[in-house]
Amino acid sequence: MRKLGSLIGIYLCLLATSLAADPTFYGPSGLITMPTAESLEYQQFNVAYDFRGASTTQQGFFKFNMGMFKNVELGVIGGAVPTEGVFINVKYFLLSDASRYPLSFAVGLQNAASQSDTSVYLVMSKKFQGGLNVHGGFNATFSTELDPSVMAGIEYLVNDHMSFLADVSGKRRQYTLNGGLRFAIYPDLSLRVSILDIGRQTTDGGTYYAVGLAYNRFM
């Protein structure tokens, strides 16, 4: 009976919550590693902490984003990632059509002030009937030489409280496939569980397993 009561309590809690825009592992609001053309509204903010681990390394890092002006999202990221200190992220929401399932565009600057990891990106997002959101874009990292790459991702909303995520992003000609689950556990609070670099395409630790919490609300 206690287990049944606990399950009913969790279910009722989920009914009272809904998903909101969460930060990516690298700061801006988006999917798992890919930012999307969905920005925070004016005076809306989110704060998140993520822990990820592999067979040889464990890392924790925090993010904070806020809708500073109309169509402008400003954020910071720090902790074990990035290793150079605290970086600044900026996203500008360009436009969106007025249809029921809009097509949106945004540009952004990620990891500003980094010596080798500052990047600019252009992304577009399209909503479809049935809870499917599709995202795509381009990213250019400024390192010893310009490193361009493409990125793409999807989100499938099972309901207002749970969604499945997947994205592909690249750096230094290495592309990683990432997948995850996001669901609301309390009003304004969501839990994310993810697997990064599923195919072990990179040389910096292989597949990571990650879990994080994100808190979203208006001031």
Side-chain angles (χ1 to χ4, degrees):
M1 289 297 292
R2 288 185 178 180
K3 288 185 178 180
L4 179 59
S6 298
L7 290 174
I8 292 174
I10 293 173
Y11 179 72
L12 292 176
C13 182
L14 289 175
L15 287 179
T17 61
S18 60
L19 292 173
D22 283 354
T24 65
F25 279 94
Y26 304 120
S29 56
L31 300 177
I32 301 172
T33 63
M34 173 190 173
T36 63
E38 299 169 342
S39 296
L40 296 176
E41 299 181 33
Y42 176 57
Q43 292 190 334
Q44 183 184 11
F45 73 90
N46 59 38
V47 59
Y49 181 84
D50 287 288
F51 177 84
R52 67 180 187 181
S55 58
T56 56
T57 60
Q58 291 81 39
Q59 299 171 318
F61 49 106
F62 67 88
K63 285 89 59 173
F64 175 82
N65 297 307
M66 184 172 181
M68 296 295 295
F69 310 100
K70 183 179 180 180
N71 298 337
V72 176
E73 175 184 304
L74 180 66
V76 295
I77 177 172
V81 177
T83 56
E84 297 178 47
V86 176
F87 292 161
I88 298 174
N89 300 310
V90 182
K91 183 195 290 189
Y92 178 67
F93 185 73
L94 289 174
L95 57 90
S96 175
D97 61 46
S99 65
R100 182 181 178 185
Y101 303 104
L103 175 65
S104 307
F105 294 87
V107 295
L109 174 67
Q110 193 166 327
N111 296 334
S114 171
Q115 296 180 358
S116 60
D117 205 30
T118 299
S119 64
V120 294
Y121 61 85
L122 169 66
V123 289
M124 65 177 184
S125 299
K126 173 66 177 178
K127 295 180 181 294
F128 292 92
Q129 186 175 7
L132 179 65
N133 299 334
V134 178
H135 311 274
F138 300 91
N139 183 76
T141 303
F142 298 94
S143 186
T144 54
E145 59 181 19
L146 186 65
D147 178 24
S149 62
V150 297
M151 50 187 177
I154 59 172
E155 179 176 16
Y156 176 67
L157 282 76
V158 179
N159 50 44
D160 290 339
H161 322 294
M162 182 173 66
S163 66
F164 293 100
L165 312 171
D167 64 24
V168 176
S169 59
K171 186 180 296 184
R172 293 183 289 273
R173 298 180 176 85
Q174 295 178 322
Y175 284 85
T176 62
L177 173 64
N178 315 291
L181 171 68
R182 182 165 66 101
F183 59 93
I185 58 175
Y186 199 74
D188 303 321
L189 183 67
S190 61
L191 173 68
R192 297 161 312 152
V193 180
S194 306
I195 304 177
L196 285 76
D197 193 5
I198 295 174
R200 297 189 177 185
Q201 296 299 307
T202 66
T203 58
D204 59 350
T207 300
Y208 283 91
Y209 303 90
V211 61
L213 289 172
Y215 180 71
N216 298 268
R217 68 170 301 163
F218 284 89
M219 296 187 65

